[in-house]
Amino acid sequence: MVSVIIRTRDREQFLARALMSVARQDYQEIEAIVVNNGLIPLALKGSWPFPVRVLEGGGELSLSGALNAGIREAQGEYIAILDDDDTWDPAFLTTHVDYLSSHGDVQGSASLTWEVHEELRGEEITELGRKPFNSVIRTSVPALLYHNRFTTNAFVYRREAALKLGLYDESLNELEDWDFNLRFAMSWKLAGIPRILSSYHRRPGQGGSAGNTALFRHLEADRSLRKNFIRKGQAPLKYRAQMLLFSWLVGIKAWLKRHAGGCRR
């Protein structure tokens, strides 16, 4: 069985779409655990062809804390994360479960993703366009040290492996998935599936509950995560050295991009 963890907060229209995406899966051995971190208790609408449980966070959970609460309550062998505004191809779970069940030495698998641009107009969600978020799936530790290579909703892993890893770092409220993916790849065998099976939905320019993570917060979290990885000393020296090198390269790339933009103006 797959336990699908869905984080949500005051976004009922997106949540309904995410649950419908789960309902359309070819794979049917599913339970859904909705972790509501809004201040108002969630009353789910409609009925679903799989059991759904709601965990109330009362607005006090971090993004990592919401995931960990769901995983601890999960009863499935496998964990799949689907944030309330993202979706899956109907073959997503079948493809991952078939791969993992036939590769007992692999603890997790990641696939490719669409980046979907959309707009919320009243109660209607309108797609504006899409493009591949990634064209090649890379799951090695060196690849993940450079930057996060796959989205949260493109990753399926064995629950037991996540528990042994220590779950998500609850001190992080940004890029908790990158930190988890890195630690997972350093501890377990992680495979890539070269198929686009999930969609990461973005709404550029929209604020409030409909918005995505602000870019400046993402960049700050990126710098902080890299510094902590290098300084904590928990990872092997070769990986910390590689992270230091990649941090320089990313910083130089960002500097060149800013100054190139200034020259064009």
Side-chain angles (χ1 to χ4, degrees):
M1 183 170 70
V2 177
S3 296
V4 179
I5 315 299
I6 303 176
R7 295 179 289 193
T8 190
R9 179 172 181 149
D10 304 326
R11 305 204 293 190
E12 289 188 14
Q13 68 273 47
F14 292 125
L15 176 59
R17 181 179 66 177
L19 285 167
M20 185 60 69
S21 178
V22 178
R24 289 173 177 160
Q25 291 298 295
D26 298 335
Y27 187 83
Q28 294 295 305
E29 294 181 49
I30 299 169
E31 67 165 356
I33 301 173
V34 178
V35 185
N36 176 38
N37 203 31
L39 297 176
I40 301 173
L42 180 65
L44 282 179
K45 299 177 181 178
S47 59
W48 305 98
F50 46 82
V52 182
R53 283 181 283 159
V54 176
L55 303 182
E56 296 291 347
E60 297 181 358
L61 295 174
S62 65
L63 292 175
S64 297
L67 289 179
N68 290 346
I71 294 170
R72 291 188 184 104
E73 286 290 319
Q75 298 177 4
E77 179 182 358
Y78 305 106
I79 298 293
I81 310 297
L82 183 66
D83 282 339
D84 63 359
D85 60 340
D86 292 331
T87 55
W88 286 329
D89 182 274
F92 176 81
L93 289 178
T94 294
T95 303
H96 281 269
V97 171
D98 284 351
Y99 186 92
L100 292 171
S101 62
S102 61
H103 295 78
D105 60 325
V106 177
Q107 299 299 309
S109 56
S111 52
L112 297 170
T113 303
W114 288 113
E115 179 179 329
V116 178
H117 285 215
E118 62 188 18
E119 185 177 56
L120 180 63
R121 301 169 181 168
E123 294 299 313
E124 184 178 344
I125 305 169
T126 303
E127 181 174 326
L128 304 176
R130 64 174 57 205
K131 62 182 180 179
F133 176 84
N134 44 7
S135 56
V136 179
I137 190 69
R138 294 185 173 95
T139 59
S140 68
V141 174
L144 285 165
L145 285 167
Y146 188 69
H147 63 76
N148 201 11
R149 296 287 180 167
F150 48 88
T151 57
T152 308
N153 66 327
F155 188 18
V156 178
Y157 49 84
R158 302 182 196 273
R159 178 174 180 268
E160 189 63 28
L163 291 173
K164 290 180 179 178
L165 191 64
L167 301 180
Y168 291 81
D169 184 344
E170 296 195 20
S171 70
L172 301 176
N173 207 36
E174 304 285 348
L175 299 183
E176 72 288 344
D177 55 334
W178 184 23
D179 171 79
F180 180 85
N181 297 346
L182 256 177
R183 291 187 289 115
F184 198 101
M186 287 191 292
S187 302
W188 307 108
K189 189 172 181 180
L190 175 58
I193 297 175
R195 289 180 59 188
I196 299 181
L197 295 168
S198 57
S199 294
Y200 164 58
H201 294 256
R202 299 189 63 227
R203 291 161 300 283
Q206 287 203 276
S209 62
N212 301 102
T213 302
L215 179 60
F216 77 91
R217 285 170 51 194
H218 185 93
L219 294 174
E220 288 178 356
D222 182 285
R223 288 190 290 268
S224 177
L225 190 149
R226 291 180 188 278
K227 287 180 181 178
N228 287 336
F229 186 92
I230 295 166
R231 293 174 178 174
K232 280 184 177 180
Q234 296 175 347
L237 179 60
K238 65 176 182 178
Y239 291 147
R240 286 186 283 135
Q242 286 177 328
M243 178 64 93
L244 179 60
L245 173 62
F246 290 149
S247 297
W248 287 339
L249 291 175
V250 168
I252 292 170
K253 184 178 178 180
W255 185 88
L256 290 173
K257 186 175 180 180
R258 287 197 304 271
H259 284 263
C263 291
R264 283 196 295 271
R265 288 193 295 271

